[in-house]
């Protein structure tokens, strides 16, 4: 009687495991792995008068600058380069 009990438990366990494996996560569709549109071509040459940088005027678009304060000298130099670049026509 006890052997039959263990066989029943093993059978239920295998059946449950098989159900989990076969009915597990659905495989994602291939189109999910690709961009909906073309990714930017960072190697493309800019057109005449086209700028690579844009001036942000909305404060909600500013990046988080807090990590830069640990390397303040580098942050000040980068800000100076950006201001110099944006001041030119």
């Amino acid at each position: 009687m006890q052997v039959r009990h263990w066989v029943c438990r093993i059978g239920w366990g295998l059946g449950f495991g098989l159900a989990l494996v076969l009915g597990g996560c659905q495989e994602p569709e291939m189109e999910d792995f690709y961009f909906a549109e073309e990714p930017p071509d960072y190697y493309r040459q800019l057109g005449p008068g086209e700028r690579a940088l844009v001036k942000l005027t909305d404060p909600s678009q500013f990046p988080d600058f807090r990590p830069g304060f640990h390397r303040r000298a580098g942050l000040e130099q980068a800000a100076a380069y950006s201001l110099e670049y944006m001041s030119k026509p």
Side-chain angles (χ1 to χ4, degrees):
M1 183 76 170
Q2 200 146 12
V3 173
R4 189 173 180 189
H5 180 69
W6 282 104
V7 170
C8 186
R9 277 190 170 186
I10 291 173
W12 276 105
L14 288 175
F16 184 69
L18 186 62
L20 282 177
V21 169
L22 293 178
C25 298
Q26 186 177 13
E27 191 172 316
E29 295 183 22
M30 287 304 292
E31 62 192 35
D32 292 342
F33 291 113
Y34 300 105
F35 292 100
E37 55 188 48
E38 280 294 314
D41 181 14
Y42 294 110
Y43 298 103
R44 178 183 64 88
Q45 186 174 359
L46 296 176
E50 187 178 4
R51 290 186 173 189
L53 300 176
V54 293
K55 187 173 186 176
L56 298 178
T57 55
D58 183 13
S60 68
Q61 294 179 330
F62 292 170
D64 184 13
F65 293 111
R66 288 179 288 185
F69 285 104
H70 296 295
R71 296 179 306 220
R72 191 173 180 115
L75 178 65
E76 290 171 353
Q77 185 180 17
Y81 288 151
S82 294
L83 289 172
E84 179 185 347
Y85 176 83
M86 294 304 283
S87 68
K88 295 180 180 177

